[in-house]
Amino acid sequence: MVELFDRLADRRAAASHWYASSTLAGVTLGSIAVLVGATLLQVSFGAFPLTLGDAWGAVFDPRILFSFEAWRAFLLGADNPEWFTQQQHIVWNIRLPRILVGVLVGANLAVSGAIFQIITRNELASPYILGVSDGAGLVVLVVLTAFSEFLPFIPVLAAIGGGAAFLLVYVIAWKNGTSPVRLVLAGVIVGTVFGSVQRALFFFIDDLSTVMSAQAWLSGSLLNTDWGEVRIALPFTVLALTLAFVVTKELDVLALGEETADSLGMPVEKMRFAVAGIAVLSTAAAISVAGLIGFVGLIVPHMVRNIVGGDSRRLLLGCLFLGPALLVGADVGARLALSPIQLPVGIITGLVGGPYFLYLMRKTENLGEV
Amino acid sequence: MGENRMSGESGSSNESMGDGADELRSQPILNADELVVGYPSIDEPVIDGQTLAVPAGEVTALIGPNGSGKSTLLKGLANRLEPDDGRVLLDGQRVDSFESKELARKLGRLSQQNTAPDTITVEELVKRGRYPHRGFFESQADGDGDAVDEAIAMAGVKHLRDREVGTLSGGQTQLVWIAMALAQDTDVLLLDEPTTFLDPRHQLEVMRVVETLRDESETTVVLVLHDISQAARYADSVVALKQGSIHASGPPEVVVTEDLLADVFDIDAKVIETEHGPVMVPLNPIDANHPSQTGETEVLQRGDSSRNGQE
């Protein structure tokens, strides 16, 4: 009899493990499908008329795929090979890198959003909750208004500004240690002040095109991204995401609250700061190349958690796939919907994100708890 | 056996548990030495210079009214609060000298209120109790699986293993958290009010786990209890706290008396000896300043309010 129960329990455990991994596989495969579909559209269509055959011929052109020279141009910033045709140039230097940047940005925002939701223990947290976006935005506005000679360094400066604002949030929140609530409140304080200064700076810009580019940056856009952006974001993305997967066990324990984490022998303050630092690095990598794209870092972790559950490792894996799928998918809309006018992708993600939360609000009672 | 075990005064009771007990008492595993602990935001320490010896392999219950410092003492013992003065020794070694994970392998603590993410399963939550046994890059340590299975079985939550934590009742949730603390596999386990807010059945289940822990794995358990009869029934020794000092400590039948209840809890109570240990029936609150005036004040207040009404 006991044996029977044990065997039943084993069965059930096996079934539940299968279910857990199958939901993750579902998210992964679904995301890949969306990503492939979006890639097909992005490569095939655009302002420059290319036939499907031309476009895809260029993508799978072995002369480029296996060309050391071409890849050196893409990844290390060397000059483009002279033998590039116009079609090859359009596909390889305009359409493909944009997709790649979208993938990197989507993965960064989704994973860092998941981390911030865990450390603040708030499902409605986003990568921008601890002041990163406000610091970066302020720096960008300052550069645009006063130091236009630093314009080429905007990605790096924005990332530094974001990191500095995060440290400021921590300093404000610190009083014999921090807590999720104090951190979030400090984020609000810094965000409010920096946001005001940011808006004030707009009045000092006389040039309309500068205002436009500032707006595009603040809404988040993949416009005009090329291999240069890939080169900036890729190393930091790889570093931040690798670290994020190293600390999933720590994230699991942090999610249980400070008291429990402490009783399990975790130095909570140090670990929270380190983990937040990883997420800030990841966010900064995204912001530096794409500006402040909203909602991706908020809804993707939320959706993934609803499907695969709260295990950090599975959550981050799901985000790693769904984030790029959502962002690249939204960018299809941003680029092609009103062609030839291109919208900032952040506008599309906001348009998708709002209704998703409306749906969630109607569906669930206890929205907001992790 | 009982001569220096129990005393009405806080001072002399301090020595009662460690040295005087040779025959049946085991060596203390956890010692608080002139411990002073409090919170950084409050000037006055909550526990001011108390000494306590927790015997190994036994169940020790902390009782006392709200705000008497039970939880604070527990946090002090677990090195969760840094002592302002004095020291806590675990196995003769200062608790603050342990590396944090090393301490967490020897001493576990379950706080009063715990919140887990709703969407993780019971098994995942219990697994997280293995954290102190894993190295930084290890996602799983040897013996994790067995320890988790054992903890789940001991806490009696096998049937809940694959349920999501958010779907459990209060009593089930508490048992699952206890399973997590059991998976931590420590020599000493500190439980802060593990039975408060639970229905009788789940209270019994929790206390059964505590008994099993002591009897089968020789774990030392220190727990805060609000239910004095429960403390008397399950604990090997009871420590009564009042206003941050240890008022009495010793075996339940010596500590849980009508006099002590009047002193410590300010209640008029009857203690009945039963085969399950002393059972306490609370009768009346004692108002030290205005004996038997409670009725009068009530009338006065009522008079006030009616006058207000007329105006």
Side-chain angles (χ1 to χ4, degrees):
Chain A
M1 195 64 188
V2 177
E3 227 171 79
L4 180 71
F5 274 126
D6 277 355
R7 213 180 298 159
L8 272 177
D10 284 349
R11 275 281 173 75
R12 209 172 41 198
S16 90
H17 288 150
W18 176 83
Y19 178 74
S21 41
S22 75
T23 52
L24 181 60
V27 170
T28 314
L29 292 177
S31 301
I32 291 174
V34 172
L35 201 53
V36 168
T39 305
L40 286 174
L41 288 170
Q42 289 285 62
V43 172
S44 308
F45 303 103
F48 187 88
L50 276 182
T51 63
L52 285 181
D54 280 350
W56 287 93
V59 172
F60 292 109
D61 192 337
R63 275 176 307 167
I64 296 177
L65 279 178
F66 302 110
S67 157
F68 177 70
E69 213 181 351
W71 282 106
R72 202 176 55 182
F74 299 150
L75 295 179
L76 299 175
D79 288 336
N80 273 315
E82 280 160 23
W83 44 266
F84 262 30
T85 64
Q86 197 174 18
Q87 281 94 330
Q88 286 169 335
H89 177 69
I90 297 277
V91 169
W92 276 93
N93 281 332
I94 295 179
R95 293 186 184 173
L96 282 178
R98 179 169 179 154
I99 297 166
L100 211 50
V101 173
V103 168
L104 295 177
V105 169
N108 275 319
L109 289 178
V111 168
S112 65
I115 295 177
F116 278 121
Q117 290 182 0
I118 290 172
I119 54 181
T120 60
R121 286 159 57 81
N122 180 348
E123 256 191 31
L124 300 179
S126 80
Y128 304 148
I129 197 159
L130 297 186
V132 180
S133 56
D134 309 293
L138 184 60
V139 168
V140 168
L141 258 287
V142 167
V143 169
L144 285 176
T145 45
F147 303 99
S148 47
E149 64 270 24
F150 290 133
L151 225 49
F153 304 110
I154 271 198
V156 180
L157 292 175
I160 293 173
F166 162 73
L167 292 179
L168 181 62
V169 164
Y170 239 91
V171 169
I172 292 175
W174 191 273
K175 186 187 175 193
N176 300 313
T178 60
S179 70
V181 178
R182 290 185 68 87
L183 283 171
V184 171
L185 282 178
V188 171
I189 294 167
V190 169
T192 313
V193 174
F194 280 26
S196 287
V197 178
Q198 210 181 81
R199 278 190 296 281
L201 282 174
F202 263 105
F203 291 94
F204 295 91
I205 307 176
D206 340 303
D207 179 20
L208 186 64
S209 70
T210 314
V211 174
M212 289 287 280
S213 63
Q215 267 305 345
W217 198 90
L218 292 176
S219 326
S221 167
L222 296 178
L223 193 65
N224 298 331
T225 49
D226 58 24
W227 288 102
E229 274 72 26
V230 176
R231 287 193 293 271
I232 292 171
L234 189 63
F236 296 106
T237 306
V238 170
L239 177 66
L241 296 185
T242 310
L243 288 174
F245 278 92
V246 168
V247 299
T248 48
K249 182 164 43 88
E250 277 69 25
L251 286 172
D252 274 343
V253 171
L254 269 178
L256 302 180
E258 288 160 66
E259 287 285 324
T260 310
D262 179 84
S263 72
L264 288 174
M266 174 182 282
V268 177
E269 290 298 348
K270 275 186 222 158
M271 196 56 79
R272 184 158 51 204
F273 185 74
V275 168
I278 294 170
V280 166
L281 180 65
S282 178
T283 311
I287 287 183
S288 64
V289 294
L292 305 179
I293 297 175
F295 269 110
V296 176
L298 176 56
I299 55 174
V300 171
H302 210 281
M303 289 162 114
V304 175
R305 189 181 302 106
N306 277 347
I307 303 169
V308 307
D311 179 70
S312 302
R313 193 175 194 81
R314 288 209 305 273
L315 178 64
L316 292 195
L317 260 178
C319 287
L320 194 61
F321 285 91
L322 189 58
L326 186 80
L327 190 61
V328 176
D331 195 40
V332 174
R335 198 173 77 105
L336 299 177
L338 300 178
S339 183
I341 295 172
Q342 297 196 17
L343 292 171
V345 64
I347 290 178
I348 307 291
T349 54
L351 287 176
V352 178
Y356 172 75
F357 271 100
L358 181 66
Y359 156 78
L360 262 186
M361 217 169 88
R362 298 273 169 222
K363 203 184 111 203
T364 47
E365 297 284 320
N366 53 351
L367 185 66
E369 294 162 20
V370 170
Chain B
M1 183 178 157
E3 76 271 76
N4 60 355
R5 188 115 331 126
M6 148 69 192
S7 142
E9 268 101 64
S10 50
S12 58
S13 68
N14 292 337
E15 295 115 51
S16 61
M17 280 169 47
D19 7 17
D22 358 274
E23 335 85 345
L24 287 170
R25 279 296 147 96
S26 39
Q27 282 295 307
I29 187 167
L30 194 59
N31 287 287
D33 223 1
E34 299 286 332
L35 185 66
V36 181
V37 276
Y39 298 89
S41 48
I42 311 167
D43 290 340
E44 287 287 299
V46 179
I47 300 285
D48 200 355
Q50 296 303 303
T51 299
L52 172 75
V54 177
E58 293 190 3
V59 175
T60 303
L62 306 183
I63 60 171
N66 290 333
S68 60
K70 307 180 294 286
S71 298
T72 312
L73 177 58
L74 212 61
K75 284 178 185 168
L77 290 176
N79 200 33
R80 169 66 178 156
L81 290 173
E82 207 179 308
D84 298 329
D85 199 10
R87 55 182 191 163
V88 177
L89 299 177
L90 173 66
D91 264 342
Q93 198 184 336
R94 290 179 68 117
V95 285
D96 47 8
S97 72
F98 285 95
E99 191 266 320
S100 60
K101 273 191 178 178
E102 190 189 1
L103 180 64
R105 286 193 294 268
K106 291 176 178 289
L107 183 140
R109 178 175 61 95
L110 190 61
S111 40
Q112 206 167 336
Q113 275 178 347
N114 302 291
T115 38
D118 284 345
T119 46
I120 62 170
T121 64
V122 168
E123 187 183 343
E124 280 167 356
L125 176 58
V126 176
K127 255 189 200 153
R128 295 182 185 185
R130 298 299 295 167
Y131 177 74
H133 295 270
R134 297 173 183 167
F136 187 70
F137 288 102
E138 281 177 312
S139 62
Q140 202 151 17
D142 293 340
D144 270 9
D146 288 345
V148 168
D149 288 345
E150 232 170 84
I152 286 179
M154 195 186 267
V157 289
K158 252 185 178 168
H159 57 295
L160 303 173
R161 193 170 180 132
D162 300 317
R163 285 267 295 275
E164 284 193 357
V165 176
T167 65
L168 303 177
S169 75
Q172 291 171 328
T173 309
Q174 180 68 345
L175 285 168
V176 168
W177 277 102
I178 288 177
M180 191 216 70
L182 296 181
Q184 204 175 331
D185 194 18
T186 55
D187 305 332
V188 181
L189 185 59
L190 312 180
L191 302 170
D192 197 352
E193 296 194 24
T195 57
T196 311
F197 307 123
L198 301 189
D199 61 37
R201 187 193 153 86
H202 282 106
Q203 293 196 23
L204 287 174
E205 284 188 41
V206 167
M207 295 314 294
R208 193 173 60 191
V209 176
V210 170
E211 279 192 317
T212 321
L213 262 180
R214 173 193 57 193
D215 297 341
E216 286 176 17
S217 52
E218 286 166 14
T219 307
T220 309
V221 183
V222 181
L223 71 179
V224 173
L225 290 175
H226 260 307
D227 184 334
I228 296 159
S229 306
Q230 201 169 57
R233 178 174 165 198
Y234 289 97
D236 300 303
S237 52
V238 175
V239 177
L241 281 110
K242 187 186 185 184
Q243 289 169 358
S245 47
I246 295 171
H247 199 273
S249 66
E253 53 279 10
V254 187
V255 174
V256 181
T257 60
E258 286 166 12
D259 288 346
L260 177 120
L261 292 171
D263 279 354
V264 171
F265 289 89
D266 288 327
I267 54 169
D268 186 7
K270 184 135 187 69
V271 174
I272 307 160
E273 289 295 332
T274 71
E275 53 179 318
H276 306 296
V279 170
M280 193 270 295
V281 183
L283 301 174
N284 280 306
I286 303 172
D287 197 331
N289 301 323
H290 312 280
S292 75
Q293 276 186 2
T294 37
E296 222 168 292
T297 3
E298 205 177 326
V299 172
L300 256 177
Q301 277 169 351
R302 214 176 280 156
D304 273 348
S305 68
S306 67
R307 203 168 53 222
N308 288 340
Q310 278 164 6
E311 275 170 13

